[in-house]
Amino acid sequence: MSFYDVIKKYEDFNIKEYLENVSYEDVEKTINKENLNEFDFLNLISNTSLEYIEIIARKSQKLTKRYFGNTISLYAPLYISNYCTNKCTYCGFNKENKIKRKHLSYEEIEKEAKELAKTGIKHVLFLTGEAKELVSFEYIKNTLIILKKYFKSISIEIYPLKENEYRKLKNLGLDGVTIYQETYDLETYKKVHLEGQKKDYFYRLDTPERVARAGVRQIGIGALYGLSDIYKDAFFSALHAKYLMDKYIDCEISISLPRMKYSESKFKPYQKLDNKKFIQIMLAFRLYLKYIGINISTRESAEFRNNLIGLGATKYSAGSKTDVGGYTKENKSTPQFETDDKRDVNEICNAIKNRGYQPVFKDWELII
Amino acid sequence: MDKLILGEKEFNSRLFTGTGKFSDKSLIKPMLEMSKSEMITLALRRVDFDMPQENILNYIPKNVTLLPNTSGAKTAEEAVKIARIARTVGCGNFIKIEIINDMKYLFPDNEETIKATKILAKEGFIVLPYMMPDLIAAKRLEDAGAAAIMPLGSPIGSNKGLQTKYMIEILIENCKLPIIIDAGIGRPSHAAKAMEMGAAAVLVNSAIACSENPIKMGKAFSLAVQAGREAYLAKLAEEKKYAEASSPLTGFLFEE
């Protein structure tokens, strides 16, 4: 069974119509429940539930404290190559974009790692574009081996791999894989992914399962809000997370809700996810999925991120550079997207502390 | 209160605490003082040896015994590795085995826990295994050389109290080793109840760390644990379902 079988079940279900008919009574019932179903999730993201947002926020805070305590874990991204063979209409790395490309050599990766490690960051997420000849499995593997010297937990956000490739990386110490579906809507997916392996909706959709079967500990999923209908993408992201959490109970699942940012692609979002809706969706993830990790990246502004501490978020990126070579600032590339929160690691730590939370640098120890 | 002895070490307090989930690591020291706890658990995977201000070990007074745990381990092999690292870095001989393959309820894997206990006890560790309250598993842990048995009251962090009460009573009745209730204790009254039942100690983390005032809550738990222990030692008066009237209705049957 694939998650696509779950998506198909809702083929004739009209989310828009359902959301328009959510009553106050529906929302109240949902809030008073301990275990929510997928319709409760929709009730929480409806316009009707906006009137109850304070109560929902308090419930989310309570649940988050129960499972994660008064802490926020920190990580940082490390871009190692932005060459790409895909043609994705919304992405800064689109092969047709005339941007400054860079592919780090192993020495350069080591330099970047050293520079990033100086900030105190212990958990790193390394990213690449999809250019299999240049960004080969071998290159990924060797990057992992280099980064192990500087960080305690290493995750990847790269093109989808085969199950046995994930297993090989896991045995070398890979801790997590982030793989966003971008949009769960098949039609939109086809329209925005024009060339390259990423065109294959189904291969991408089943990637988290290959990761789980390979025994990798953490999996991050999500949709890119703005590509398609935000309600539909929020709904299927939540269902996808639930499906994975139920099927692979030994995996830690986390979810993100990245909003479309300005990039070299100059893509015009289909629909805007405003702050209120963003928070409604995040709170709904917490109430529906309880112990899920929620990542908030530096795509969001400093002020907005400060306000999210204590509402349900559990993981923050800090001091992020989204350009290749960004930490050493040597001959760096064009960034994948513009970050909004430009604060350094220290400033973010202080903001977390000011809210009465403990920033956590290290939550994992490689024991291989 | 009577002393608790584990691996030849004496403890004046039967309240064990934890280092996770605090809003600020500097709360740990005053919490320990107020709660009088003499044993504190810490996840080795979270100990940051590179940065002194992040290193949790620098926040724990020297008179408090460290109970490093193997959180993050999914197999006996991994737990054994973590335990050995913990000893090498100076965390002492105590080890709490925590092997979890269920990220939903964080239930312990008894089978792997027994395997790890066997190996580590042989290597001279004082092994405290976190387990699902199951009598057969508890007996195997005794045979494997555990120093105590740590069954869960309810899932970690759930604060739901002694949901496994009946199973724990069975362990207390049938095990030679001290039974320490770990996980799920959400209120001082839960801790008192566990102690009244005859638990040797309780381990409380979330309920203290996530309260509005962890220092005051530490004290509340300390008092509850003492009260429960004294009550256990004083042997509770028997519970009776019906009132015992001074002039029984059926008294005439026995009149001569």
Side-chain angles (χ1 to χ4, degrees):
Chain A
M1 188 183 161
S2 153
F3 177 63
Y4 192 65
D5 298 318
V6 178
I7 295 179
K8 272 198 300 197
K9 277 198 220 160
Y10 298 90
E11 240 166 21
D12 299 322
F13 174 62
N14 190 329
I15 294 178
K16 198 170 173 251
E17 197 183 297
Y18 179 90
L19 286 169
E20 278 164 6
N21 289 308
V22 172
S23 65
Y24 291 128
E25 206 192 337
D26 293 333
V27 179
E28 281 171 21
K29 269 190 192 156
T30 293
I31 293 173
N32 290 322
K33 270 187 179 176
E34 187 161 358
N35 294 309
L36 278 58
N37 62 34
E38 69 270 40
F39 300 106
D40 292 310
F41 177 83
L42 288 175
N43 294 346
L44 293 175
I45 64 169
S46 70
N47 289 336
T48 315
S49 95
L50 202 55
E51 298 205 20
Y52 297 84
I53 195 143
E54 184 57 28
I55 304 171
I56 296 167
R58 290 192 183 275
K59 197 165 175 190
S60 169
Q61 181 174 64
K62 211 171 144 189
L63 281 168
T64 312
K65 277 196 180 189
R66 178 190 295 174
Y67 293 103
F68 298 89
N70 301 307
T71 65
I72 299 272
S73 300
L74 299 178
Y75 73 98
L78 182 57
Y79 283 75
I80 59 167
S81 180
N82 67 351
Y83 282 87
C84 197
T85 51
N86 286 329
K87 213 165 124 183
C88 310
T89 56
Y90 55 89
C91 180
F93 291 174
N94 183 333
K95 72 172 196 181
E96 300 213 319
N97 291 349
K98 301 278 177 282
I99 58 166
K100 196 167 169 201
R101 306 266 175 188
K102 193 164 168 65
H103 179 81
L104 297 183
S105 67
Y106 294 133
E107 281 118 49
E108 286 171 317
I109 292 172
E110 188 132 14
K111 271 192 191 167
E112 280 280 293
K114 267 187 196 160
E115 207 53 40
L116 177 58
K118 277 186 203 162
T119 66
I121 287 289
K122 295 271 161 35
H123 292 193
V124 70
L125 170 74
F126 78 81
L127 304 93
T128 69
E130 178 162 350
K132 271 194 175 165
E133 293 203 353
L134 189 63
V135 188
S136 63
F137 179 72
E138 211 45 35
Y139 178 71
I140 302 290
K141 206 178 84 184
N142 291 331
T143 301
L144 174 69
I145 294 169
I146 296 169
L147 295 182
K148 263 173 70 178
K149 290 194 270 177
Y150 301 93
F151 303 99
K152 296 294 183 185
S153 166
I154 298 153
S155 300
I156 52 173
E157 187 172 343
I158 63 165
Y159 53 87
L161 300 175
K162 297 187 192 102
E163 187 178 324
N164 68 340
E165 291 175 322
Y166 284 125
R167 193 166 291 114
K168 278 180 199 161
L169 295 179
K170 187 241 159 188
N171 290 336
L172 286 169
L174 181 73
D175 200 24
V177 174
T178 295
I179 186 95
Y180 297 147
Q181 186 60 26
E182 318 295 10
T183 175
Y184 288 87
D185 182 73
L186 183 56
E187 288 314 306
T188 310
Y189 191 95
K190 283 183 189 159
K191 271 186 217 152
V192 296
H193 299 102
L194 303 174
E195 262 181 48
Q197 189 198 282
K198 200 164 176 179
K199 264 176 76 177
D200 192 340
Y201 173 94
F202 300 97
Y203 189 66
R204 196 168 183 91
L205 191 69
D206 291 337
T207 303
E209 298 203 56
R210 293 197 299 281
V211 176
R213 284 195 298 266
V216 178
R217 193 172 68 96
Q218 294 188 332
I219 301 175
I221 63 160
L224 180 57
Y225 292 83
L227 272 187
S228 185
D229 182 81
I230 57 171
Y231 296 95
K232 206 170 162 183
D233 275 334
F235 180 63
F236 285 114
S237 305
L239 285 181
H240 195 189
K242 180 84 170 69
Y243 168 87
L244 294 169
M245 288 165 109
D246 289 346
K247 193 164 172 185
Y248 303 97
I249 58 164
D250 57 343
C251 278
E252 279 179 49
I253 310 294
S254 63
I255 201 160
S256 304
L257 45 168
R259 298 193 255 198
M260 187 77 73
K261 294 286 293 180
Y262 173 82
S263 77
E264 282 298 321
S265 72
K266 301 185 178 65
F267 183 85
K268 212 172 152 286
Y270 168 82
Q271 197 178 7
K272 204 171 165 265
L273 178 60
D274 65 22
N275 283 357
K276 278 184 192 149
K277 207 44 93 185
F278 182 102
I279 288 177
Q280 271 191 291
I281 294 172
M282 188 186 82
L283 299 174
F285 283 150
R286 170 62 64 228
L287 265 59
Y288 176 50
L289 303 162
K290 288 183 193 158
Y291 42 86
I292 196 160
I294 299 180
N295 287 0
I296 308 287
S297 80
T298 52
R299 279 173 187 266
E300 301 301 333
S301 72
E303 194 197 351
F304 190 60
R305 295 218 306 164
N306 285 350
N307 285 322
L308 292 180
I309 298 166
L311 278 185
T314 59
K315 249 189 212 178
Y316 270 35
S317 51
S320 305
K321 303 278 186 262
T322 65
D323 34 23
V324 181
Y327 294 103
T328 44
K329 298 182 188 75
E330 278 174 20
N331 188 22
K332 55 187 191 175
S333 75
T334 309
Q336 189 187 23
F337 58 85
E338 290 296 333
T339 57
D340 203 332
D341 185 351
K342 311 270 189 206
R343 293 173 296 179
D344 65 21
V345 175
N346 259 334
E347 289 170 307
I348 290 181
C349 276
N350 287 335
I352 293 172
K353 286 179 189 162
N354 286 340
R355 293 260 161 178
Y357 277 68
Q358 182 195 159
V360 173
F361 284 89
K362 179 172 177 271
D363 187 28
W364 191 248
E365 176 82 41
L366 285 166
I367 50 157
I368 296 167
Chain B
M1 199 165 50
D2 61 325
K3 288 184 168 41
L4 169 70
I5 299 167
L6 286 175
E8 294 175 2
K9 201 173 167 80
E10 285 187 0
F11 295 90
N12 292 308
S13 161
R14 290 173 181 265
L15 172 64
F16 296 175
T17 49
T19 51
K21 297 186 176 178
F22 284 91
S23 61
D24 189 335
K25 287 188 284 297
S26 60
L27 286 166
I28 293 171
K29 198 170 166 246
M31 179 282 289
L32 283 167
E33 280 162 12
M34 285 302 269
S35 68
K36 302 196 179 87
S37 172
E38 294 176 355
M39 170 91 104
I40 192 161
T41 189
L42 68 156
L44 188 78
R45 63 170 166 142
R46 298 210 175 98
V47 183
D48 196 335
F49 295 99
D50 312 341
M51 296 158 85
Q53 74 278 21
E54 288 301 320
N55 187 345
I56 198 88
L57 294 171
N58 296 335
Y59 294 81
I60 303 170
K62 295 283 170 266
N63 62 320
V64 175
T65 302
L66 298 177
L67 177 59
N69 67 58
T70 65
S71 148
K74 291 187 170 220
T75 60
E77 198 192 340
E78 286 174 2
V80 167
K81 277 186 192 167
I82 297 170
R84 288 174 184 155
I85 295 171
R87 184 148 73 179
T88 321
V89 297
C91 290
N93 280 335
F94 279 92
I95 188 82
K96 174 182 156 187
I97 299 181
E98 194 175 314
I99 302 176
I100 288 171
N101 280 300
D102 153 38
M103 299 323 292
K104 223 173 178 176
Y105 306 100
L106 304 176
F107 283 144
D109 183 327
N110 281 355
E111 202 181 323
E112 291 295 310
T113 303
I114 295 165
K115 277 191 224 162
T117 301
K118 207 171 277 175
I119 299 167
L120 292 170
K122 266 193 201 135
E123 293 182 13
F125 282 94
I126 302 157
V127 184
L128 308 185
Y130 171 55
M131 57 99 68
M132 196 72 180
D134 170 287
L135 182 60
I136 309 301
K139 285 282 164 198
R140 294 204 172 127
L141 286 168
E142 281 190 345
D143 293 343
I149 308 283
M150 304 232 272
L152 60 93
S154 49
I156 297 180
S158 70
N159 295 331
K160 285 192 185 290
L162 301 173
Q163 298 297 328
T164 55
K165 180 172 170 274
Y166 187 52
M167 300 302 147
I168 288 177
E169 279 171 346
I170 291 173
L171 297 192
I172 292 173
E173 202 182 321
N174 293 286
C175 292
K176 295 190 287 279
L177 293 174
I179 304 293
I180 299 169
I181 316 299
D182 183 1
I185 292 184
R187 300 161 181 265
S189 56
H190 295 154
K193 177 92 200 160
M195 298 307 294
E196 277 174 16
M197 277 162 55
V202 293
L203 195 157
V204 182
N205 181 28
S206 303
I208 293 175
C210 297
S211 68
E212 291 272 318
N213 186 338
I215 300 169
K216 218 172 167 60
M217 192 55 87
K219 186 178 177 188
F221 269 100
S222 169
L223 294 169
V225 168
Q226 281 180 48
R229 181 65 185 176
E230 297 295 353
Y232 171 73
L233 294 175
K235 302 220 166 40
L236 295 167
E238 207 184 319
E239 259 182 53
K240 287 176 184 149
K241 209 168 179 182
Y242 303 103
E244 221 169 70
S246 42
S247 322
L249 297 177
T250 52
F252 70 94
L253 289 174
F254 306 98
E255 277 168 12
E256 298 244 326

